[in-house]
Amino acid sequence: MLSNRGIINEWLMAVGLIDDPLQLVRNEIGVVIGMVHFLIPFAVFPLATAMRNLDERTLMAARGMGASRLRIFWQVFVPMTRTGLLGAGLLVFVFSIGFFVTPAILGGGRSVMVAELIYLRIFQSPNWGLAAAISVVLMVSIAGLLALLMRQLQPKAPKK
């Protein structure tokens, strides 16, 4: 799909947008396209669940009070679907941190993600200390991010 004679390049050349095929593999663009392709369902499902649980009467009430569509989106819709947004972001982030095979194949060794970097430091250039340090920093940063997100998801106490 991403090769020089793949669907994307063939379509872009047939439409006339490009003359020569784009280099879509063995670089960061290919890795990003592959990861987005794989991770979209993991973002869509929590978002769809949050949107399904939204009461449409709230949106209609905001419209009836004279709010514009943009204001309804930012001040009503986004806060009411905040848990779905945070859940989708967290799920995609955690999966993308652990990505190993997709970046290794599509990146061709030129675009190295964290999981692949740890693997390379353990098995190809035996530098176990650096691999352990990277792993610990990664785990501590993820734990801090999870703690921050869990604090955001806690219900707020009403102000007196």
Side-chain angles (χ1 to χ4, degrees):
M1 191 163 116
L2 298 176
S3 69
N4 288 345
R5 302 199 57 90
I7 295 171
I8 295 173
N9 277 322
E10 292 291 330
W11 180 78
L12 289 172
M13 287 191 292
V15 173
L17 293 174
I18 58 172
D19 294 327
D20 298 324
L22 299 173
Q23 185 69 24
L24 298 176
V25 289
R26 294 183 186 84
N27 55 23
E28 288 83 13
I29 294 171
V31 172
V32 169
I33 291 171
M35 287 177 67
V36 166
H37 175 73
F38 182 80
L39 292 172
I40 280 179
F42 295 105
V44 167
F45 291 141
L47 290 173
T49 301
M51 286 187 256
R52 269 195 153 170
N53 293 333
L54 185 66
D55 189 4
E56 290 183 33
R57 294 177 295 179
T58 308
L59 300 176
M60 289 190 304
R63 187 73 178 152
M65 296 294 286
S68 66
R69 290 179 185 260
L70 188 62
R71 188 166 189 175
I72 292 171
F73 178 76
W74 285 112
Q75 292 185 345
V76 178
F77 184 78
V78 170
M80 291 182 77
T81 58
R82 184 182 73 154
T83 56
L85 289 168
L86 290 174
L90 180 65
L91 197 60
V92 167
F93 175 73
V94 169
F95 274 135
S96 66
I97 287 294
F99 253 42
F100 181 77
V101 175
T102 303
I105 292 172
L106 293 176
R110 294 182 186 167
S111 177
V112 179
M113 301 291 284
V114 175
E116 189 177 358
L117 179 65
I118 294 169
Y119 172 82
L120 292 173
R121 294 297 169 241
I122 291 175
F123 294 109
Q124 286 190 358
S125 65
N127 191 349
W128 290 17
L130 181 60
I134 294 170
S135 299
V136 168
V137 168
L138 183 64
M139 291 300 293
V140 168
S141 63
I142 290 174
L145 181 67
L146 284 174
L148 183 70
L149 285 175
M150 289 302 155
R151 180 178 282 170
Q152 289 292 320
L153 289 175
Q154 301 244 330
K156 306 255 192 280
K159 294 181 182 179
K160 293 184 178 184

